[in-house]
Amino acid sequence: MNVLTSADLSADGAPLLRTGAGDDEEFLLASFSNVEIHAAASDMGEDDDRETQTLPHSGAAGALFVTTSRVVWLGAPMGAHVGYAWEMSSVTLHAISRDPAAFPKPCLYCQISNQDVSEVRFVPADDKTLQEVFDAFCKSAEMNPYDDDEDDDDGWICDEDEVADGARAAQLAAHFDSMLQVSPGLQNGSTEAGQFDDADEDSLL
């Protein structure tokens, strides 16, 4: 679990950024206050079945930081824990969601390639800043492409229009499939004798 403690914070309460040469140095791209986090953790049980569990800070409001290499969320201390951080390269999908059937509040939905965490939703108090959060994630994601040798995709970055277009395309495909009718004979794999023979030349004269 990528849990942060007070040792990971600077004197002003912001996350400590990595220092180093070249690409190892970390910079802050954007920060947002009053952002709720809703996160689910997946634990492996005795039967290797994944059971979804809610993280301790889930539902709490805090500060969201997007850096050149990580996404960091900080909230009120809960014991030694003050928040979470994930490598941006492990965020395999992030998309704006405004569908109340999926989640009651507009949010940035993220899927994370992590053995402990499966998905995270960030919910700004002012949903007008949701696009700004999305843009910050996009900028960092471009700098940290998802790396998986078994997957040819570079991860998913979806805006609302792309999500809606994908849903409409799926509906159209299902509609066209329902319009297709196959002859019962062909569907059962049977054909009539001489069905595909060449026509008699005399019959064409």
mmCIF file of all heavy atoms in Angstrom, residues 18-48:
data_model
loop_
_atom_site.group_PDB
_atom_site.id
_atom_site.type_symbol
_atom_site.label_atom_id
_atom_site.label_comp_id
_atom_site.label_asym_id
_atom_site.label_seq_id
_atom_site.Cartn_x
_atom_site.Cartn_y
_atom_site.Cartn_z
ATOM 1 N N ARG A 18 10.607 14.437 -4.888
ATOM 2 C CA ARG A 18 11.886 13.774 -5.087
ATOM 3 C C ARG A 18 12.901 14.737 -5.690
ATOM 4 O O ARG A 18 12.567 15.560 -6.542
ATOM 5 C CB ARG A 18 11.713 12.570 -6.009
ATOM 6 C CG ARG A 18 10.796 11.490 -5.447
ATOM 7 C CD ARG A 18 10.402 10.515 -6.527
ATOM 8 N NE ARG A 18 9.531 9.460 -6.023
ATOM 9 C CZ ARG A 18 8.763 8.706 -6.792
ATOM 10 N NH1 ARG A 18 8.762 8.896 -8.107
ATOM 11 N NH2 ARG A 18 8.002 7.772 -6.260
ATOM 12 N N THR A 19 14.103 14.604 -5.248
ATOM 13 C CA THR A 19 15.188 15.411 -5.802
ATOM 14 C C THR A 19 16.187 14.485 -6.474
ATOM 15 O O THR A 19 16.359 13.333 -6.082
ATOM 16 C CB THR A 19 15.900 16.217 -4.702
ATOM 17 O OG1 THR A 19 16.415 15.309 -3.715
ATOM 18 C CG2 THR A 19 14.936 17.190 -4.045
ATOM 19 N N GLY A 20 16.812 14.970 -7.500
ATOM 20 C CA GLY A 20 17.780 14.161 -8.226
ATOM 21 C C GLY A 20 18.156 14.853 -9.508
ATOM 22 O O GLY A 20 17.750 15.989 -9.776
ATOM 23 N N ALA A 21 18.911 14.155 -10.311
ATOM 24 C CA ALA A 21 19.366 14.723 -11.576
ATOM 25 C C ALA A 21 18.488 14.228 -12.717
ATOM 26 O O ALA A 21 18.045 13.083 -12.726
ATOM 27 C CB ALA A 21 20.821 14.339 -11.827
ATOM 28 N N GLY A 22 18.231 15.110 -13.669
ATOM 29 C CA GLY A 22 17.508 14.717 -14.871
ATOM 30 C C GLY A 22 16.077 14.309 -14.592
ATOM 31 O O GLY A 22 15.331 14.991 -13.890
ATOM 32 N N ASP A 23 15.686 13.143 -15.134
ATOM 33 C CA ASP A 23 14.309 12.678 -15.034
ATOM 34 C C ASP A 23 13.925 12.244 -13.625
ATOM 35 O O ASP A 23 12.742 12.033 -13.349
ATOM 36 C CB ASP A 23 14.085 11.503 -16.000
ATOM 37 C CG ASP A 23 14.225 11.926 -17.452
ATOM 38 O OD1 ASP A 23 14.066 13.129 -17.723
ATOM 39 O OD2 ASP A 23 14.502 11.057 -18.301
ATOM 40 N N ASP A 24 14.897 12.077 -12.738
ATOM 41 C CA ASP A 24 14.599 11.640 -11.378
ATOM 42 C C ASP A 24 14.041 12.768 -10.521
ATOM 43 O O ASP A 24 13.466 12.522 -9.464
ATOM 44 C CB ASP A 24 15.859 11.075 -10.710
ATOM 45 C CG ASP A 24 16.315 9.777 -11.365
ATOM 46 O OD1 ASP A 24 15.447 9.082 -11.933
ATOM 47 O OD2 ASP A 24 17.518 9.476 -11.315
ATOM 48 N N GLU A 25 14.197 14.005 -10.950
ATOM 49 C CA GLU A 25 13.699 15.131 -10.171
ATOM 50 C C GLU A 25 12.208 15.317 -10.417
ATOM 51 O O GLU A 25 11.728 15.204 -11.545
ATOM 52 C CB GLU A 25 14.456 16.408 -10.527
ATOM 53 C CG GLU A 25 14.175 17.555 -9.571
ATOM 54 C CD GLU A 25 15.140 18.710 -9.755
ATOM 55 O OE1 GLU A 25 15.944 18.664 -10.719
ATOM 56 O OE2 GLU A 25 15.102 19.647 -8.944
ATOM 57 N N GLU A 26 11.483 15.598 -9.341
ATOM 58 C CA GLU A 26 10.025 15.686 -9.394
ATOM 59 C C GLU A 26 9.572 17.126 -9.188
ATOM 60 O O GLU A 26 10.087 17.836 -8.324
ATOM 61 C CB GLU A 26 9.423 14.788 -8.304
ATOM 62 C CG GLU A 26 7.913 14.715 -8.291
ATOM 63 C CD GLU A 26 7.412 13.808 -7.176
ATOM 64 O OE1 GLU A 26 8.159 13.607 -6.190
ATOM 65 O OE2 GLU A 26 6.282 13.303 -7.288
ATOM 66 N N PHE A 27 8.584 17.543 -9.991
ATOM 67 C CA PHE A 27 8.049 18.895 -9.885
ATOM 68 C C PHE A 27 6.530 18.835 -9.745
ATOM 69 O O PHE A 27 5.879 17.919 -10.257
ATOM 70 C CB PHE A 27 8.418 19.729 -11.113
ATOM 71 C CG PHE A 27 9.896 19.927 -11.303
ATOM 72 C CD1 PHE A 27 10.622 19.079 -12.135
ATOM 73 C CD2 PHE A 27 10.565 20.946 -10.644
ATOM 74 C CE1 PHE A 27 11.983 19.251 -12.309
ATOM 75 C CE2 PHE A 27 11.927 21.125 -10.809
ATOM 76 C CZ PHE A 27 12.642 20.273 -11.647
ATOM 77 N N LEU A 28 5.981 19.830 -9.072
ATOM 78 C CA LEU A 28 4.536 19.912 -8.899
ATOM 79 C C LEU A 28 3.898 20.521 -10.144
ATOM 80 O O LEU A 28 4.302 21.585 -10.604
ATOM 81 C CB LEU A 28 4.204 20.761 -7.669
ATOM 82 C CG LEU A 28 2.716 20.932 -7.341
ATOM 83 C CD1 LEU A 28 2.097 19.595 -6.953
ATOM 84 C CD2 LEU A 28 2.539 21.953 -6.217
ATOM 85 N N LEU A 29 2.890 19.834 -10.689
ATOM 86 C CA LEU A 29 2.167 20.341 -11.853
ATOM 87 C C LEU A 29 0.912 21.106 -11.450
ATOM 88 O O LEU A 29 0.600 22.148 -12.020
ATOM 89 C CB LEU A 29 1.781 19.185 -12.783
ATOM 90 C CG LEU A 29 2.921 18.421 -13.454
ATOM 91 C CD1 LEU A 29 2.365 17.274 -14.290
ATOM 92 C CD2 LEU A 29 3.758 19.353 -14.322
ATOM 93 N N ALA A 30 0.181 20.584 -10.471
ATOM 94 C CA ALA A 30 -1.071 21.221 -10.053
ATOM 95 C C ALA A 30 -1.470 20.691 -8.685
ATOM 96 O O ALA A 30 -1.101 19.576 -8.295
ATOM 97 C CB ALA A 30 -2.182 20.949 -11.063
ATOM 98 N N SER A 31 -2.229 21.501 -7.951
ATOM 99 C CA SER A 31 -2.763 21.071 -6.658
ATOM 100 C C SER A 31 -4.201 21.557 -6.537
ATOM 101 O O SER A 31 -4.565 22.610 -7.077
ATOM 102 C CB SER A 31 -1.916 21.609 -5.501
ATOM 103 O OG SER A 31 -1.928 23.027 -5.480
ATOM 104 N N PHE A 32 -5.013 20.784 -5.829
ATOM 105 C CA PHE A 32 -6.436 21.085 -5.694
ATOM 106 C C PHE A 32 -6.853 20.826 -4.247
ATOM 107 O O PHE A 32 -6.524 19.782 -3.679
ATOM 108 C CB PHE A 32 -7.265 20.214 -6.642
ATOM 109 C CG PHE A 32 -6.824 20.285 -8.076
ATOM 110 C CD1 PHE A 32 -5.875 19.398 -8.562
ATOM 111 C CD2 PHE A 32 -7.335 21.249 -8.924
ATOM 112 C CE1 PHE A 32 -5.448 19.455 -9.880
ATOM 113 C CE2 PHE A 32 -6.916 21.322 -10.247
ATOM 114 C CZ PHE A 32 -5.968 20.424 -10.727
ATOM 115 N N SER A 33 -7.573 21.758 -3.668
ATOM 116 C CA SER A 33 -8.020 21.609 -2.287
ATOM 117 C C SER A 33 -9.440 21.057 -2.248
ATOM 118 O O SER A 33 -10.184 21.137 -3.234
ATOM 119 C CB SER A 33 -7.962 22.956 -1.556
ATOM 120 O OG SER A 33 -8.796 23.913 -2.201
ATOM 121 N N ASN A 34 -9.798 20.516 -1.096
ATOM 122 C CA ASN A 34 -11.156 20.026 -0.849
ATOM 123 C C ASN A 34 -11.597 19.009 -1.906
ATOM 124 O O ASN A 34 -12.617 19.172 -2.572
ATOM 125 C CB ASN A 34 -12.140 21.199 -0.791
ATOM 126 C CG ASN A 34 -13.388 20.859 0.015
ATOM 127 O OD1 ASN A 34 -13.447 19.836 0.695
ATOM 128 N ND2 ASN A 34 -14.392 21.714 -0.069
ATOM 129 N N VAL A 35 -10.800 17.962 -2.040
ATOM 130 C CA VAL A 35 -11.092 16.885 -2.990
ATOM 131 C C VAL A 35 -11.311 15.590 -2.210
ATOM 132 O O VAL A 35 -10.429 15.150 -1.470
ATOM 133 C CB VAL A 35 -9.939 16.692 -3.997
ATOM 134 C CG1 VAL A 35 -10.238 15.523 -4.934
ATOM 135 C CG2 VAL A 35 -9.703 17.970 -4.786
ATOM 136 N N GLU A 36 -12.487 15.007 -2.367
ATOM 137 C CA GLU A 36 -12.761 13.727 -1.709
ATOM 138 C C GLU A 36 -12.047 12.598 -2.436
ATOM 139 O O GLU A 36 -11.876 12.635 -3.657
ATOM 140 C CB GLU A 36 -14.266 13.430 -1.702
ATOM 141 C CG GLU A 36 -15.090 14.307 -0.801
ATOM 142 C CD GLU A 36 -16.561 13.908 -0.821
ATOM 143 O OE1 GLU A 36 -16.890 12.850 -1.414
ATOM 144 O OE2 GLU A 36 -17.383 14.658 -0.266
ATOM 145 N N ILE A 37 -11.657 11.587 -1.661
ATOM 146 C CA ILE A 37 -11.085 10.382 -2.251
ATOM 147 C C ILE A 37 -12.002 9.211 -1.922
ATOM 148 O O ILE A 37 -12.492 9.080 -0.798
ATOM 149 C CB ILE A 37 -9.653 10.115 -1.727
ATOM 150 C CG1 ILE A 37 -9.040 8.913 -2.459
ATOM 151 C CG2 ILE A 37 -9.633 9.903 -0.226
ATOM 152 C CD1 ILE A 37 -7.573 8.684 -2.126
ATOM 153 N N HIS A 38 -12.287 8.404 -2.909
ATOM 154 C CA HIS A 38 -13.066 7.178 -2.722
ATOM 155 C C HIS A 38 -12.249 6.060 -3.353
ATOM 156 O O HIS A 38 -12.090 6.010 -4.581
ATOM 157 C CB HIS A 38 -14.441 7.294 -3.378
ATOM 158 C CG HIS A 38 -15.316 8.335 -2.754
ATOM 159 N ND1 HIS A 38 -16.270 8.034 -1.807
ATOM 160 C CD2 HIS A 38 -15.356 9.688 -2.922
ATOM 161 C CE1 HIS A 38 -16.877 9.154 -1.428
ATOM 162 N NE2 HIS A 38 -16.338 10.166 -2.091
ATOM 163 N N ALA A 39 -11.705 5.203 -2.512
ATOM 164 C CA ALA A 39 -10.768 4.192 -3.000
ATOM 165 C C ALA A 39 -11.150 2.812 -2.495
ATOM 166 O O ALA A 39 -11.659 2.657 -1.382
ATOM 167 C CB ALA A 39 -9.347 4.534 -2.556
ATOM 168 N N ALA A 40 -10.897 1.826 -3.336
ATOM 169 C CA ALA A 40 -11.168 0.436 -2.985
ATOM 170 C C ALA A 40 -9.873 -0.350 -3.039
ATOM 171 O O ALA A 40 -9.100 -0.232 -3.988
ATOM 172 C CB ALA A 40 -12.195 -0.169 -3.938
ATOM 173 N N ALA A 41 -9.631 -1.140 -1.996
ATOM 174 C CA ALA A 41 -8.438 -1.981 -1.944
ATOM 175 C C ALA A 41 -8.842 -3.420 -2.186
ATOM 176 O O ALA A 41 -9.891 -3.874 -1.738
ATOM 177 C CB ALA A 41 -7.748 -1.847 -0.587
ATOM 178 N N SER A 42 -8.001 -4.159 -2.898
ATOM 179 C CA SER A 42 -8.262 -5.567 -3.180
ATOM 180 C C SER A 42 -7.253 -6.409 -2.427
ATOM 181 O O SER A 42 -6.048 -6.280 -2.633
ATOM 182 C CB SER A 42 -8.160 -5.854 -4.683
ATOM 183 O OG SER A 42 -9.141 -5.134 -5.384
ATOM 184 N N ASP A 43 -7.746 -7.263 -1.536
ATOM 185 C CA ASP A 43 -6.887 -8.157 -0.761
ATOM 186 C C ASP A 43 -7.101 -9.584 -1.226
ATOM 187 O O ASP A 43 -8.217 -9.995 -1.537
ATOM 188 C CB ASP A 43 -7.199 -8.072 0.737
ATOM 189 C CG ASP A 43 -6.845 -6.708 1.310
ATOM 190 O OD1 ASP A 43 -5.929 -6.077 0.757
ATOM 191 O OD2 ASP A 43 -7.484 -6.291 2.289
ATOM 192 N N MET A 44 -6.026 -10.353 -1.251
ATOM 193 C CA MET A 44 -6.115 -11.746 -1.642
ATOM 194 C C MET A 44 -6.476 -12.589 -0.430
ATOM 195 O O MET A 44 -5.786 -12.583 0.587
ATOM 196 C CB MET A 44 -4.783 -12.229 -2.223
ATOM 197 C CG MET A 44 -4.382 -11.497 -3.491
ATOM 198 S SD MET A 44 -5.581 -11.683 -4.814
ATOM 199 C CE MET A 44 -5.372 -13.418 -5.172
ATOM 200 N N GLY A 45 -7.576 -13.319 -0.529
ATOM 201 C CA GLY A 45 -7.998 -14.179 0.565
ATOM 202 C C GLY A 45 -7.315 -15.528 0.491
ATOM 203 O O GLY A 45 -6.458 -15.788 -0.350
ATOM 204 N N GLU A 46 -7.725 -16.431 1.388
ATOM 205 C CA GLU A 46 -7.107 -17.748 1.428
ATOM 206 C C GLU A 46 -7.376 -18.530 0.157
ATOM 207 O O GLU A 46 -6.589 -19.372 -0.250
ATOM 208 C CB GLU A 46 -7.633 -18.525 2.640
ATOM 209 C CG GLU A 46 -7.225 -17.898 3.979
ATOM 210 C CD GLU A 46 -7.757 -18.693 5.143
ATOM 211 O OE1 GLU A 46 -8.477 -19.682 4.878
ATOM 212 O OE2 GLU A 46 -7.461 -18.350 6.297
ATOM 213 N N ASP A 47 -8.518 -18.260 -0.480
ATOM 214 C CA ASP A 47 -8.876 -18.979 -1.702
ATOM 215 C C ASP A 47 -8.481 -18.202 -2.945
ATOM 216 O O ASP A 47 -8.970 -18.462 -4.040
ATOM 217 C CB ASP A 47 -10.390 -19.249 -1.732
ATOM 218 C CG ASP A 47 -10.827 -20.127 -0.575
ATOM 219 O OD1 ASP A 47 -10.013 -20.944 -0.132
ATOM 220 O OD2 ASP A 47 -11.981 -19.980 -0.124
ATOM 221 N N ASP A 48 -7.591 -17.193 -2.774
ATOM 222 C CA ASP A 48 -7.133 -16.369 -3.889
ATOM 223 C C ASP A 48 -8.268 -15.615 -4.558
ATOM 224 O O ASP A 48 -8.204 -15.297 -5.742
ATOM 225 C CB ASP A 48 -6.392 -17.213 -4.941
ATOM 226 C CG ASP A 48 -5.046 -17.677 -4.426
ATOM 227 O OD1 ASP A 48 -4.558 -17.082 -3.456
ATOM 228 O OD2 ASP A 48 -4.503 -18.643 -4.992
#
